[in-house]
Amino acid sequence: MWVGGSLCIIALTTWEEFFTPLPGGWKYAAGLLFIWGGALAVVQSVRIGKWVPIAGAVARIVLLGFFLVSVVVYATRHGVHTLPAGDFAPTYAGFVALVPVLIFNYVGFELPSSAAEEMTNPKRDIPLSILRSGLAALLLYGGPILGILFVLPGERIGSLGGFIDACKAVFTVYGESIAADGTVHLTGAGAVFGGVAAAGLIIGLLTSGVTWAMGAHRAQAVACADGAGPAWLGHISEKHGTPVRVNLLSAILASLLFIVALNLTGGDGEKYFAAGLGLTICTTFISYVITFPSLAVLRRKYPSVPRPYSVPGGRLGVRLVSALATAFVAFTVVVLIWPGFGVGWFGTAGSAADALPASFAGQRLRYTLSQVVPLTLFVGIGLAFYAAGARTRREKG
């Protein structure tokens, strides 16, 4: 979902903005190349595949670091937009709009534990990696967001092209030309830096999907081997040590999603991105609505099992953590399916219609269907998978 949805369309938009348009079949070819390039990396063993996310991390750090330096240069020459304190006043409408993205930023840190058996000392390495990743995410998200707010007027910040437009704006300090219609084009060093930054962004997007898939696919394969899905999907390749069958099935589904979504949106990148991002977060969080309560259940059923990672506070601490995490992700699912949920209720300011993505303005039904129809299909597939695993569950007792 994530690779074939939001990551793919951001990569394509970046390519078209900095390099060349992708008309007709070229857009399909580029999107499929992006998806299957990631699939090829995921298939590799952890010993080899681990270098893909490392390369992506380096690309992101270099890209975002250079972007922040360029923002300083841009600010020195042209000044920046002020950020009125009133714009940061908390409101329920703002909370509803931001919760899905904010919570999504914090999930996924648990995925490295799926590959714990391939680590020398997972009890030491995984908590430290989560801590380091959390601090890095704070810096690498916060810095560029401030840079975008300083460089671009609020009305020009879009969900899809915000960072891309900000990069193009700040890189004008290295070379630009203005066409007769007022369009700004990067030239000279500006064009070179813009191209390098675009390539870094595309690599970063690809490796983000690869990193997520490396953990999620292993978890899916183990679940199938335990009876939560078809047993043949639980097979781990002896050659690569990876769940190749799950890897390939995921790539096929991502390709189908990309082709169908591109057709349904008529190639509208903003609409594709809004629907794809909402659906990606929603499908992920539906699984967490079921996963998070299992912490309390498993701690109660198997209290004596050794646990390398434990929530402090005893049974009360476990229940509190499970309840809060489950409530947040359940609320997120609701506001993704129905943006603006609760806005205007009990005297709160704002309109629920304003919470719709800009590309779906005035199209509440169309947006809702873009979420509900695929979700219904996915739930059906999940139930079919569970039924297919019945034999395995019986054999394992």
Side-chain angles (χ1 to χ4, degrees), residues 110 284-296 298 322 326:
E110 78 288 350
T284 302
F285 280 13
I286 286 176
S287 67
Y288 283 119
V289 169
I290 301 171
T291 302
F292 286 161
S294 67
L295 168 63
L298 293 174
S322 288
T326 303

Side-chain angles (χ1 to χ4, degrees), residues 230-247:
W232 62 273
L233 281 177
H235 175 75
I236 302 296
S237 169
E238 294 182 4
K239 178 180 179 181
H240 300 289
T242 55
V244 175
R245 294 174 183 176
V246 175
N247 298 152

Side-chain angles (χ1 to χ4, degrees), residues 285-341:
F285 280 13
I286 286 176
S287 67
Y288 283 119
V289 169
I290 301 171
T291 302
F292 286 161
S294 67
L295 168 63
V297 174
L298 293 174
R299 183 71 69 87
R300 177 178 57 83
K301 285 187 173 182
Y302 309 101
S304 60
V305 173
R307 304 177 189 280
Y309 327 111
S310 298
V311 173
R315 187 169 291 183
L316 178 61
V318 166
R319 289 176 177 174
L320 181 62
V321 168
S322 288
L324 287 175
T326 303
F328 268 116
V329 294
F331 180 75
T332 300
V333 170
V334 173
V335 299
L336 281 169
I337 295 175
W338 192 267
F341 175 80

